[in-house]
């Protein structure tokens, strides 16, 4: 077991804020740290959903990344998110439209 360290993926933020939503970091699972009792070598729980679209490997293609205006909403200006607790589909303005 190693000492817990601040998650290198989210820099300890635990995830990414997207308007009113908070998307938990997929590396630390929102715990903000890795290691310690949460040793990454332990098998993570199986994913319940495919990775977010903006983590898709297609974004490693710089031509595609440059051609689309926003990797979150693809220019639609809205991002949809399933609220598992409320069992509702929530649509929020994308971060690319929130800074007007
Ligand atoms: Zn993290
Ligand atoms: Zn956007």
């Amino acid at each position: 077991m190693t000492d817990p360290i601040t998650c290198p993926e989210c820099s300890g933020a635990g995830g990414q804020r997207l308007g009113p939503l908070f998307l938990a970091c997929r590396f630390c699972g929102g715990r903000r740290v890795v290691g310690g009792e949460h040793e990454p070598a332990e098998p993570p729980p199986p994913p319940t959903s495919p990775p977010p679209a903006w983590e898709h490997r297609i974004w490693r293609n710089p031509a595609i990344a440059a051609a689309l205006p926003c990797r979150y909403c693809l220019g639609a200006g809205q991002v949809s998110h399933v609220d598992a607790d409320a069992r509702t589909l929530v649509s929020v303005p994308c971060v690319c439209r929130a800074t007007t």
Side-chain angles (χ1 to χ4, degrees):
M1 183 182 285
T2 55
D3 289 334
I5 58 165
T6 301
C7 175
E9 282 291 312
C10 62
S11 302
Q16 181 178 15
R17 182 151 289 286
L18 191 64
L21 305 177
F22 189 78
L23 305 171
C25 171
R26 295 177 61 81
F27 190 70
C28 63
R31 285 187 294 263
R32 301 162 191 265
V33 295
V34 293
E37 59 181 307
H38 300 299
E39 195 72 51
E42 293 174 13
T48 55
S49 60
W54 56 86
E55 289 184 7
H56 194 277
R57 55 190 165 81
I58 198 174
W59 296 111
R60 296 195 195 128
N61 183 330
I64 291 176
L68 291 166
C70 174
R71 66 166 59 191
Y72 291 101
C73 66
L74 308 184
Q78 275 208 328
V79 177
S80 295
H81 171 82
V82 177
D83 188 322
D85 293 330
R87 297 188 180 183
T88 54
L89 182 68
V90 183
S91 292
V92 297
C94 180
V95 287
C96 69
R97 302 292 175 90
T99 55
T100 51

